[in-house]
Amino acid sequence: MEEISRLVAFMEETEKLKAVTRTNKTIDGRFENSAEHSWQAALMAPLFQDYFPEQLSMEKVLSLLLVHDLGEIYAGDTSVFDEAGKAVSHEQEQLSLQRSLNLLPPLQAEKLAALSQEFETGTSPEARYARVIDALIPLINHGLIAKENENPQRLTAEQVLRKKAFIKEAATPLWQLVEKLVAEGVAKGIYL
């Protein structure tokens, strides 16, 4: 029963991910949370898998996507365009993740830690694909949600393309989607 209690404690811990605010907004105008982002990534992954050139275990992709932001529970979310924040966010997220994983029985904690590390390093086709999906979602979201000429960060198309450039190496059709979305963003005035 102790092991089940530890699993329940961890699930209670994951509730905190619903309170981590991200920089992307939702269609009703509020800021999305990290749990919503992870859910949307898990939903999107099976739909786009035919555009990724490598064979994938979708079960593993989904596991990677559901784990990838757990480190934000105590560290918070850092925008990919926040250079100063990104310089320290990885270490903070690792400490946060470990704090949460300590609630689990050791075997489950090791499994989730390994998945998190695999996502971060992109060492498998599944991790590379999960990283692509993770990077596409905010781009799709921003194009839909941002109002015309709304660009408070003064982002340029070049900045966005540079941050998403790894997608070009991973999957040409998905890179073409990135280029299309950025071009539409320029036309809408949400990228310079």
Side-chain angles (χ1 to χ4, degrees), residues 22 24 37 133-143 164 191:
R22 291 174 49 86
N24 285 58
H37 166 73
I133 294 299
D134 182 50
L136 279 174
I137 290 172
L139 190 58
I140 293 168
N141 168 277
H142 194 214
K164 310 293 182 183
Y191 306 125

Side-chain angles (χ1 to χ4, degrees), residues 11 13-21 30-36 73:
M11 292 313 300
E13 177 83 348
T14 65
E15 275 293 314
K16 296 173 184 173
L17 199 59
K18 296 177 184 178
V20 176
T21 304
R30 66 180 173 77
F31 288 97
E32 75 174 348
N33 65 54
S34 289
E36 291 169 321
I73 287 176

Side-chain angles (χ1 to χ4, degrees), residues 36-71:
E36 291 169 321
H37 166 73
S38 295
W39 161 80
Q40 195 169 30
L43 181 62
M44 184 177 173
L47 301 174
F48 282 70
Q49 71 179 332
D50 291 341
Y51 301 99
F52 193 76
E54 299 178 79
Q55 286 293 112
L56 299 167
S57 160
M58 191 50 57
E59 180 181 351
K60 187 171 188 181
V61 170
L62 295 176
S63 295
L64 289 161
L65 288 169
L66 292 171
V67 167
H68 85 281
D69 279 338
L70 286 178

Side-chain angles (χ1 to χ4, degrees), residues 18 40 42 44 61 71-72 90 102-103 112 118 136 146 149-150 162 177 185 188:
K18 296 177 184 178
Q40 195 169 30
M44 184 177 173
V61 170
E72 294 180 359
H90 178 73
N102 284 340
L103 296 170
L112 294 189
E118 184 175 338
L136 279 174
N149 299 315
E150 182 181 23
R162 190 170 43 249
L177 174 61
K188 189 176 178 180

Side-chain angles (χ1 to χ4, degrees), residues 35-180:
E36 291 169 321
H37 166 73
S38 295
W39 161 80
Q40 195 169 30
L43 181 62
M44 184 177 173
L47 301 174
F48 282 70
Q49 71 179 332
D50 291 341
Y51 301 99
F52 193 76
E54 299 178 79
Q55 286 293 112
L56 299 167
S57 160
M58 191 50 57
E59 180 181 351
K60 187 171 188 181
V61 170
L62 295 176
S63 295
L64 289 161
L65 288 169
L66 292 171
V67 167
H68 85 281
D69 279 338
L70 286 178
E72 294 180 359
I73 287 176
Y74 297 105
D77 180 59
T78 305
S79 168
V80 69
F81 299 103
D82 178 357
E83 299 295 334
K86 279 295 180 191
V88 296
S89 68
H90 178 73
E91 183 178 332
Q92 291 171 341
E93 287 183 17
Q94 289 305 304
L95 292 171
S96 172
L97 178 65
Q98 193 55 55
R99 179 176 171 184
S100 296
L101 294 182
N102 284 340
L103 296 170
L104 284 169
L107 183 59
Q108 284 89 350
E110 288 173 24
K111 286 180 183 178
L112 294 189
L115 284 169
S116 177
Q117 182 63 24
E118 184 175 338
F119 178 88
E120 291 299 320
T121 58
T123 55
S124 67
E126 290 82 6
R128 288 188 292 279
Y129 180 64
R131 290 168 59 92
V132 167
I133 294 299
D134 182 50
L136 279 174
I137 290 172
L139 190 58
I140 293 168
N141 168 277
H142 194 214
L144 172 67
I145 303 300
K147 293 176 177 39
E148 202 165 312
N149 299 315
E150 182 181 23
N151 186 355
Q153 293 179 288
R154 309 276 309 147
L155 295 176
T156 67
E158 182 182 317
Q159 284 175 297
V160 176
L161 290 170
R162 190 170 43 249
K163 290 292 182 185
K164 310 293 182 183
F166 73 95
I167 296 172
K168 186 175 188 176
E169 295 175 25
T172 301
L174 296 178
W175 175 249
Q176 292 168 343
L177 174 61
V178 169
E179 291 178 315
K180 177 183 179 292

